[in-house]
Amino acid sequence: MIEMLAPLGVDLVELSGGSYESPAMSGRPADERTRAREAYFLDLAKDLVGTSPLPLMLTGGITRRETARRVLDSGVAVIGMGTALAVTPDLPELWRTGREADRQLRPVTWSDKALASAAGMAQVRHQMRRIARGSRPMPNTHPAIALLAEQLKQRGALRRYRTWLNTAGRAA
Protein backbone atom coordinates (compact mmCIF):
# COMPACT_ATOMS: atom_id res chain seq x y z
CA MET A 1 0.00 0.00 0.00
CA ILE A 2 2.75 2.49 0.90
CA GLU A 3 4.55 1.84 -2.39
CA MET A 4 1.52 3.32 -4.21
CA LEU A 5 2.24 6.71 -2.59
CA ALA A 6 5.78 7.17 -3.93
CA PRO A 7 4.76 7.90 -7.57
CA LEU A 8 2.34 10.53 -6.23
CA GLY A 9 5.20 12.60 -4.86
CA VAL A 10 4.72 11.57 -1.23
CA ASP A 11 8.10 11.63 0.48
CA LEU A 12 7.23 10.64 4.07
CA VAL A 13 4.54 8.51 5.71
CA GLU A 14 3.43 9.35 9.24
CA LEU A 15 2.07 6.72 11.59
CA SER A 16 0.11 8.69 14.16
CA GLY A 17 -0.68 7.77 17.73
CA GLY A 18 -4.44 7.94 17.61
CA SER A 19 -7.52 9.79 16.52
CA TYR A 20 -9.40 12.70 17.99
CA GLU A 21 -11.63 10.34 19.91
CA SER A 22 -8.77 8.16 21.12
CA PRO A 23 -7.26 8.71 24.55
CA ALA A 24 -3.84 8.08 23.00
CA MET A 25 -4.13 11.25 20.90
CA SER A 26 -4.57 13.37 23.99
CA GLY A 27 -1.72 11.75 25.88
CA ARG A 28 -3.92 9.36 27.85
CA PRO A 29 -3.01 5.86 26.73
CA ALA A 30 -5.80 3.31 26.96
CA ASP A 31 -4.05 0.70 29.11
CA GLU A 32 -0.88 -0.06 31.06
CA ARG A 33 0.63 -2.04 28.17
CA THR A 34 0.27 0.93 25.82
CA ARG A 35 1.41 3.38 28.49
CA ALA A 36 4.59 1.38 29.06
CA ARG A 37 5.28 1.27 25.32
CA GLU A 38 4.70 5.00 24.70
CA ALA A 39 5.33 4.91 20.93
CA TYR A 40 1.84 3.67 20.13
CA PHE A 41 2.45 2.14 16.71
CA LEU A 42 6.09 1.10 17.06
CA ASP A 43 5.32 -2.58 16.40
CA LEU A 44 3.53 -1.67 13.16
CA ALA A 45 6.35 0.72 12.19
CA LYS A 46 8.92 -2.05 12.69
CA ASP A 47 6.92 -4.29 10.35
CA LEU A 48 6.64 -1.57 7.70
CA VAL A 49 10.23 -0.27 7.80
CA GLY A 50 11.61 -3.28 5.98
CA THR A 51 9.16 -3.09 3.09
CA SER A 52 8.39 0.62 2.76
CA PRO A 53 10.05 2.49 -0.11
CA LEU A 54 9.36 5.71 1.80
CA PRO A 55 10.77 6.89 5.12
CA LEU A 56 8.41 6.54 8.07
CA MET A 57 7.63 9.05 10.82
CA LEU A 58 6.19 7.83 14.12
CA THR A 59 4.24 10.11 16.44
CA GLY A 60 2.22 9.51 19.55
CA GLY A 61 3.33 9.53 23.15
CA ILE A 62 7.08 9.81 22.67
CA THR A 63 8.31 11.68 25.72
CA ARG A 64 11.39 9.85 26.97
CA ARG A 65 14.87 9.62 25.42
CA GLU A 66 14.90 5.84 25.77
CA THR A 67 11.67 5.58 23.77
CA ALA A 68 12.92 7.97 21.08
CA ARG A 69 16.12 5.93 20.77
CA ARG A 70 14.14 2.68 20.51
CA VAL A 71 11.99 4.19 17.72
CA LEU A 72 15.00 5.43 15.75
CA ASP A 73 16.85 2.15 16.29
CA SER A 74 13.87 0.33 14.75
CA GLY A 75 14.57 2.05 11.43
CA VAL A 76 11.94 4.79 11.66
CA ALA A 77 13.42 7.89 10.01
CA VAL A 78 11.69 10.66 12.00
CA ILE A 79 9.92 10.90 15.33
CA GLY A 80 7.22 13.43 16.12
CA MET A 81 7.07 14.81 19.63
CA GLY A 82 4.71 17.79 19.45
CA THR A 83 3.24 17.51 22.93
CA ALA A 84 6.56 16.77 24.62
CA LEU A 85 8.22 19.76 22.94
CA ALA A 86 5.26 22.05 23.61
CA VAL A 87 5.74 21.48 27.32
CA THR A 88 9.53 21.16 27.37
CA PRO A 89 11.00 23.02 24.38
CA ASP A 90 14.52 22.39 25.67
CA LEU A 91 13.96 18.61 25.70
CA PRO A 92 16.76 17.84 23.22
CA GLU A 93 19.22 19.72 25.45
CA LEU A 94 17.95 17.85 28.52
CA TRP A 95 18.50 14.57 26.70
CA ARG A 96 22.03 15.59 25.67
CA THR A 97 22.86 16.11 29.35
CA GLY A 98 21.31 12.80 30.40
CA ARG A 99 18.15 14.27 31.92
CA GLU A 100 14.47 13.71 31.20
CA ALA A 101 11.56 16.15 31.13
CA ASP A 102 9.97 16.79 34.49
CA ARG A 103 6.92 18.66 33.18
CA GLN A 104 3.76 17.51 31.49
CA LEU A 105 0.46 19.05 30.56
CA ARG A 106 -2.27 19.24 33.13
CA PRO A 107 -4.34 16.07 32.61
CA VAL A 108 -7.76 16.42 31.00
CA THR A 109 -10.05 14.10 32.91
CA TRP A 110 -13.38 15.11 31.40
CA SER A 111 -15.85 12.30 30.77
CA ASP A 112 -16.74 13.53 27.26
CA LYS A 113 -13.93 11.99 25.18
CA ALA A 114 -14.35 14.25 22.15
CA LEU A 115 -14.35 17.41 24.27
CA ALA A 116 -11.44 16.12 26.35
CA SER A 117 -9.43 15.41 23.19
CA ALA A 118 -10.22 18.87 21.81
CA ALA A 119 -9.12 20.43 25.10
CA GLY A 120 -5.93 18.35 25.14
CA MET A 121 -5.01 19.44 21.63
CA ALA A 122 -5.89 23.03 22.55
CA GLN A 123 -3.47 22.78 25.46
CA VAL A 124 -0.67 21.79 23.09
CA ARG A 125 -1.47 24.60 20.62
CA HIS A 126 -1.74 27.07 23.52
CA GLN A 127 1.75 26.13 24.71
CA MET A 128 3.17 26.30 21.19
CA ARG A 129 1.72 29.78 20.75
CA ARG A 130 3.34 30.83 24.04
CA ILE A 131 6.70 29.52 22.84
CA ALA A 132 6.29 31.27 19.47
CA ARG A 133 5.72 34.56 21.34
CA GLY A 134 8.92 34.00 23.32
CA SER A 135 7.14 33.01 26.55
CA ARG A 136 7.80 29.92 28.61
CA PRO A 137 5.25 27.10 28.53
CA MET A 138 2.72 26.97 31.36
CA PRO A 139 1.86 23.26 31.49
CA ASN A 140 -0.59 23.75 34.33
CA THR A 141 -2.93 25.88 32.20
CA HIS A 142 -6.47 24.67 32.80
CA PRO A 143 -7.78 22.75 29.76
CA ALA A 144 -10.95 24.88 29.64
CA ILE A 145 -8.87 28.07 29.46
CA ALA A 146 -6.72 26.64 26.66
CA LEU A 147 -9.80 25.45 24.77
CA LEU A 148 -11.53 28.83 25.07
CA ALA A 149 -8.38 30.70 24.00
CA GLU A 150 -7.99 28.45 20.96
CA GLN A 151 -11.65 28.85 20.01
CA LEU A 152 -11.27 32.64 20.13
CA LYS A 153 -8.07 32.45 18.04
CA GLN A 154 -9.77 30.27 15.44
CA ARG A 155 -12.82 32.54 15.34
CA GLY A 156 -10.57 35.55 14.65
CA ALA A 157 -8.65 33.67 11.97
CA LEU A 158 -11.89 32.60 10.29
CA ARG A 159 -13.17 36.19 10.34
CA ARG A 160 -9.96 37.40 8.69
CA TYR A 161 -10.16 34.62 6.10
CA ARG A 162 -13.76 35.46 5.22
CA THR A 163 -12.84 39.13 4.84
CA TRP A 164 -9.94 38.17 2.57
CA LEU A 165 -12.21 35.88 0.53
CA ASN A 166 -14.75 38.67 0.03
CA THR A 167 -12.01 41.10 -0.98
CA ALA A 168 -10.36 38.59 -3.33
CA GLY A 169 -13.72 37.75 -4.91
CA ARG A 170 -14.44 41.38 -5.69
CA ALA A 171 -10.97 41.91 -7.16
CA ALA A 172 -11.43 39.03 -9.61
Side-chain angles (χ1 to χ4, degrees):
M1 175 83 115
I2 293 176
E3 59 275 358
M4 294 183 335
L5 298 173
L8 300 174
V10 174
D11 50 3
L12 179 78
V13 174
E14 177 186 353
L15 302 174
S16 182
S19 68
Y20 293 111
E21 295 82 26
S22 168
M25 185 70 161
S26 58
R28 296 181 305 149
D31 59 27
E32 287 301 319
R33 189 173 140 258
T34 304
R35 184 176 292 117
R37 206 172 63 220
E38 287 186 32
Y40 303 120
F41 291 129
L42 181 55
D43 291 339
L44 174 61
K46 286 178 184 177
D47 291 343
L48 293 174
V49 160
T51 60
S52 175
L54 298 170
L56 300 178
M57 174 180 182
L58 184 65
T59 67
I62 301 167
T63 60
R64 296 180 307 129
R65 184 177 191 267
E66 173 190 329
T67 304
R69 175 57 42 212
R70 198 165 14 116
V71 170
L72 293 174
D73 288 348
S74 76
V76 169
V78 179
I79 57 175
M81 304 181 348
T83 300
L85 291 171
V87 176
T88 312
D90 59 341
L91 187 57
E93 181 56 32
L94 289 176
W95 285 357
R96 271 193 285 281
T97 60
R99 296 178 293 158
E100 293 288 341
D102 58 1
R103 298 171 288 211
Q104 50 183 268
L105 288 174
R106 183 177 183 158
V108 183
T109 57
W110 303 347
S111 59
D112 184 313
K113 281 179 153 184
L115 193 56
S117 289
M121 288 182 289
Q123 285 179 301
V124 173
R125 287 190 304 271
H126 183 73
Q127 300 310 320
M128 288 183 172
R129 288 183 200 283
R130 289 186 57 77
I131 294 166
R133 289 192 311 263
S135 300
R136 298 274 313 145
M138 291 179 53
N140 205 29
T141 301
H142 195 284
I145 299 294
L147 184 58
L148 179 60
E150 285 302 308
Q151 291 293 313
L152 292 172
K153 278 270 189 211
Q154 289 177 7
R155 181 178 290 172
L158 182 57
R159 190 178 314 118
R160 288 188 301 279
Y161 176 68
R162 285 182 179 149
T163 300
W164 175 83
L165 264 182
N166 288 335
T167 305
R170 282 187 231 132

